[in-house]
Structure formats: structure tokens, C-alpha cells
Amino acid sequence: MSVRELVVLGTSSAVPTRHRNHNGYLLRWDGEGFLFDPGEGTQRQMMHAGVSSHDLTWICVTHFHGDHCLGVPGVIQRIARDRVDHQVQAAYPAAGEHYWRRLRHATSFGDTAVIVRRPVSGDLVEWPAGPVTLTARPLSHPIESYGYRLDEPAGRRMLPGELARRGVHGPMVGELQRHGSLTLPDGSTVTLAECSAPRPGQSAAFVMDTRLCDGVFSLADRVDLLVIESTFLSAEAELAAAYGHLTAAQAGRVAAECGVRRLVLTHFSERYSFDDEPRFVAEVRETYAGDVIVARDLMRIPVPKRDTAPKRAP
Ligand SMILES: [Zn+2]
Ligand SMILES: [Zn+2]
């Protein structure tokens, strides 16, 4: 069965706290495993979450502040030690190549050849990644930072009632899907369009350290799942602006304007405790009425079920 869920490994910005590990997020998507921003302690959090090094197919680093990448050495050395035998792609800002090299070869270990570098530069980078396209776009932070997005291509879902009505069954269904039309025994022709309906692709976006900028809105546009930093509440908006971060209110505004289906807030300043979580939700609710989750370590958050309802006219 295909699994599409976010496994939250850590939710703290800058420094870990007693209740929150440094960042770390695994997005499981069918057979792929996208590990975003492995901060310090990610390897152990993976163990707590029941995630194996063999589950990883991509490591995506938004930028080279420690809370987003200090887990890279441990994760890569674990991949080597566990003899992971499939390729693991590693995307990161090309401007931080020197940091990548230090993290990649931080200590002496029996190295692995499965890590494939995918340095990111420019305004838009796309890679095929199993069943999805992975996109990177620049964000706005004191050092170069990129956000990521996954898109499943749109497809079609078969309509069993219509297939039965036309007498299409067994191997004929596969033939109809492959060729787009089929000649029935009575000589009539049935088309794929008659027996199927459009199936929108699913999507997810991962937006870490940034101010509001075009990249944020492009990445979040109509995604099913948006994981976004909300380091501060609005009372600290000046700090957020000074250090290149978002407030919960801004994250909510992004979700509302972009038509996001499920919003996950994370990357919290250590000044906040669990008791402050309702304040984050309240700020989001000023603009966004959809599903909002304040992430905690080791949560598992499903990608919402496919939205097959006909789209309303804007
Ligand atoms: Zn950070
Ligand atoms: Zn940062």
C-alpha cells in the first residue's frame, strides 16, 4: 500500500529544547523517503520514529544553518554503515558547497558510494523523483536558502460503473488504459475518457527559514500539505524580520492565499513552550480556516486524502 505521510523528527529552531529536537522531517511518499533538514540528533529521532536509513532516497537541505544540517554527518555515516544499496540524492544550496563537503566528510568512516550530489542554484530546479517531480526555489534568509516542493502528475481514475456498463473487464481495462480506446466485440469503440475521470495529482511543500517572498507563495500554491516555519508569534515580528523568519500569522496568510489543504507549523523558537501552541493556531485562524497542525516531535501527519471533488469556479 502506498504511504504518504510526514514523520516529524524535530521541531525546534536554533537549539534543541527539553521537548523539541532540532529540525528533521521525513516525507514518506509511496516508495520514496525525502529527509528534509536533518538537524542534530536526527539519527536517534529516526530510531524513535521507526525510520531506517534504508527508507531514505533523498536528503534535501534548505540551508546551512546548524539546525538544518548538523545531522547530515550522522545520517550519511549511518547509510554507509547499514550498507544502503540504493542511491540517495542529496540536494542543497550550491553556495554552501564548502559546508556540504565538511558535513559529508566530517569524520573518518567507511564511506559509501550511494550519495549523489544535487547542488541547487538559480531560480528554479526540477528533478524527477520516483512518482513525483521535486522542485527547489530560492527563499529569503540571511544566507542562501531553498524551499522544496513535490508534485505528482495528474492522472485519471477508472470508473468501475462505466466500465461495467460498457462491458469492459479483465485485461481489456489495461488495454484501454494503454491505448486510450478499445474496440469491443460488437464492433463499437469505447474511449478512456468515457470510462474514467481526471485525478488531480497530490503535492506537498517544505518551506523553512525565510521572510515572505515570491518563492514561498510559488512553493505553497495549492499544495495538499504545507510544512512551514513559524519561528515566532506576531509579538516578535521585528525579530522575525531582522533574522529572516516567519510569524505564525504570516504562515497562516500564506496558507490562506495559496489554498493549502493542510498546514503544519514548525521550527519554533526556544522561547515558546507547549502551552503557547494555541496562540500559534489563533494567529493562523486570523486568515486561514483549513486544517492546521502545530507539529511536535515524532508526530505522523498524513498527506490529506486526494481531493476528487470537482473544483469550484474561482
Ligand atoms: Zn533554522
Ligand atoms: Zn536559518
Side-chain angles (χ1 to χ4, degrees):
M1 208 188 81
S2 61
V3 174
R4 295 180 182 181
E5 67 171 0
L6 178 76
V7 181
V8 180
L9 301 170
T11 53
S12 182
S13 71
V15 291
T17 71
R18 286 180 58 191
H19 301 290
R20 296 186 185 275
N21 200 74
H22 255 176
N23 286 293
Y25 312 85
L26 179 73
L27 184 56
R28 301 175 69 207
W29 192 287
D30 303 348
E32 302 288 320
F34 299 87
L35 177 65
F36 293 103
D37 283 0
E40 194 177 338
T42 294
Q43 187 184 171
R44 190 152 189 268
Q45 293 293 92
M46 285 170 59
M47 196 182 68
H48 283 305
V51 172
S52 153
S53 61
H54 294 272
D55 296 332
L56 309 179
T57 56
W58 280 82
I59 298 170
C60 301
V61 172
T62 60
H63 66 297
F64 288 102
H65 279 151
D67 49 328
H68 300 260
C69 62
L70 279 174
V72 166
V75 168
I76 287 186
Q77 293 185 26
R78 187 61 183 268
I79 286 169
R81 190 178 200 270
D82 291 349
R83 301 186 190 284
V84 170
D85 61 3
H86 58 256
Q87 287 191 340
V88 179
Q89 320 283 327
Y92 56 87
E97 180 68 35
H98 52 300
Y99 296 119
W100 170 259
R101 288 190 184 162
R102 285 180 214 155
L103 293 162
R104 171 70 182 82
H105 303 286
T107 70
S108 171
F109 69 108
D111 207 350
T112 170
V114 302
I115 309 295
V116 181
R117 294 165 51 251
R118 301 285 182 201
V120 181
S121 59
D123 287 338
L124 174 66
V125 182
E126 285 185 356
W127 305 273
V132 298
T133 299
L134 179 65
T135 305
R137 286 182 186 272
L139 297 171
S140 173
H141 197 49
I143 63 170
E144 194 170 66
S145 184
Y146 278 84
Y148 296 91
R149 172 177 174 133
L150 278 70
D151 281 286
E152 176 190 37
R156 300 191 72 83
R157 69 191 164 89
M158 303 308 288
L159 301 171
E162 203 56 32
L163 289 169
R165 196 177 73 77
R166 302 298 301 265
V168 181
H169 51 81
M172 295 161 78
V173 177
E175 201 181 328
L176 179 60
Q177 286 175 315
R178 280 192 300 278
H179 301 295
S181 66
L182 185 70
T183 305
L184 297 170
D186 67 2
S188 66
T189 300
V190 59
T191 66
L192 180 61
E194 292 166 343
C195 297
S196 64
R199 186 196 65 182
Q202 288 197 290
S203 53
F206 186 80
V207 173
M208 280 299 122
D209 299 14
T210 187
R211 308 172 181 90
L212 284 182
C213 65
D214 290 348
V216 174
F217 291 93
S218 302
L219 288 162
D221 187 35
R222 283 171 291 171
V223 289
D224 294 285
L225 182 73
L226 172 63
V227 184
I228 190 166
E229 71 124 314
S230 58
T231 311
F232 296 110
L233 291 165
S234 293
E236 310 294 346
E238 279 182 25
L239 271 182
Y243 290 98
H245 286 297
L246 297 175
T247 64
Q250 289 173 319
R253 195 188 124 198
V254 170
E257 290 185 19
C258 293
V260 168
R261 293 184 63 213
R262 178 166 290 163
L263 173 66
V264 179
L265 302 180
T266 186
H267 189 275
F268 305 109
S269 162
E270 76 264 32
R271 76 193 58 225
Y272 304 114
S273 71
F274 288 161
D275 292 344
D276 294 308
E277 288 178 349
R279 300 168 66 200
F280 282 80
V281 174
E283 286 202 0
V284 166
R285 285 283 175 251
E286 290 166 13
T287 52
Y288 177 67
D291 191 12
V292 57
I293 296 167
V294 180
R296 288 191 183 183
D297 293 16
L298 304 180
M299 269 186 175
R300 302 180 98 90
I301 301 170
V303 175
K305 286 203 185 318
R306 197 182 300 278
D307 183 8
T308 52
K311 292 274 178 287
R312 285 190 298 274

